[in-house]
Amino acid sequence: MGRDQRTALAAATRLGDMAAQAVSSRLLAAAYSDLGDYDESARLFTASLTLYQRLGNRLGEAKVQHNLAALAEGQGSYADVLGHAEKALSLYQAIGDKASEAAALNNVGWTHCLLGDYEQARGLCRQALALCTEVGHHWLEGYVWDSLGYAEHNLGNLGEAAACYQRALSLHREAGDRFTEAEALAHLGETCRAADQPTQARDAWQQAARHLRRPAE
């Protein structure tokens, strides 16, 4: 795909087609990120962002800000993650895309978790949950409950954290996603261990391991 996107970008550049250049630059940047070439990925994402800004395409801008946040998270640059995630959130709010706004709220909330700001994270995740309910975004809701559980755990609210993880588990099972279900089970196990419930912790971890060992269907 990287070679195809390089060809597409070269053609769009020759034609002076800024919209095509923006899309091709973003897709090529994602390919470089997958290959671990973060410098080239960042350069191309930035080029794509500039083009979207010149075009006045706020949806394109928001998508690139989300990409830049993911790139920064992969490098452990959490302050940069927060900056990009908050810009994406503002853009989705301006556009009026509530489903994407809910996802962006969860991303900002999770970033606050990574930065150790758990009170702020909890408030943002609760906002994300309210939007998920409003727009019927049940797939995302499972991820938000997991984020909220992490915040509650680190605030010392272990009962609330366990309840959040149970909600996440139910939604992930409903979606048939065994990998996110395994992740939520692992988090639940950590909360049970912290609550001095070794039997429940072991059961959760064993279930997570079974999910991960199960052959792909």
Side-chain angles (χ1 to χ4, degrees), residues 24-206:
S24 297
S25 294
R26 177 170 172 260
L27 293 175
L28 186 55
Y32 274 109
S33 177
D34 290 342
L35 292 170
D37 190 340
Y38 301 124
D39 289 340
E40 184 63 9
S41 179
R43 185 189 72 79
L44 285 161
F45 276 136
T46 302
S48 177
L49 181 62
T50 299
L51 288 162
Y52 280 125
Q53 289 169 338
R54 289 173 62 188
L55 290 162
N57 185 332
R58 288 184 295 182
L59 179 59
E61 283 186 64
K63 289 179 177 179
V64 177
Q65 291 291 358
H66 174 77
N67 292 140
L68 285 166
L71 186 66
E73 183 175 354
Q75 298 174 84
S77 302
Y78 299 137
D80 290 337
V81 176
L82 183 60
H84 292 302
E86 287 179 335
K87 288 175 183 176
L89 173 59
S90 294
L91 287 160
Y92 284 127
Q93 288 171 331
I95 293 166
D97 182 343
K98 290 191 175 183
S100 295
E101 181 184 347
L105 277 165
N106 183 54
N107 290 338
V108 176
W110 176 247
T111 305
H112 277 288
C113 281
L114 296 175
L115 291 166
D117 190 356
Y118 302 113
E119 286 281 3
Q120 184 79 355
R122 178 168 61 180
L124 288 159
C125 290
R126 286 175 175 171
Q127 290 180 54
L129 282 173
L131 266 182
C132 284
T133 300
E134 181 180 339
V135 301
H137 203 333
H138 300 303
W139 172 82
L140 174 65
E141 192 176 343
Y143 288 89
V144 183
W145 279 112
D146 192 81
S147 298
L148 183 57
Y150 190 88
E152 294 286 11
H153 178 114
N154 284 280
L155 287 167
N157 304 322
L158 300 181
E160 289 87 344
C164 289
Y165 289 136
Q166 291 288 1
R167 293 291 297 273
L169 276 169
S170 176
L171 289 160
H172 291 321
R173 285 184 185 128
E174 185 179 316
D177 189 337
R178 64 188 174 95
F179 295 106
T180 53
E181 187 178 345
E183 185 175 22
L185 282 163
H187 292 163
L188 177 61
E190 287 294 338
T191 296
C192 291
R193 181 193 59 78
D196 196 25
Q197 298 173 335
T199 300
Q200 292 93 323
R202 185 179 63 251
D203 288 346
W205 287 330
Q206 286 176 343

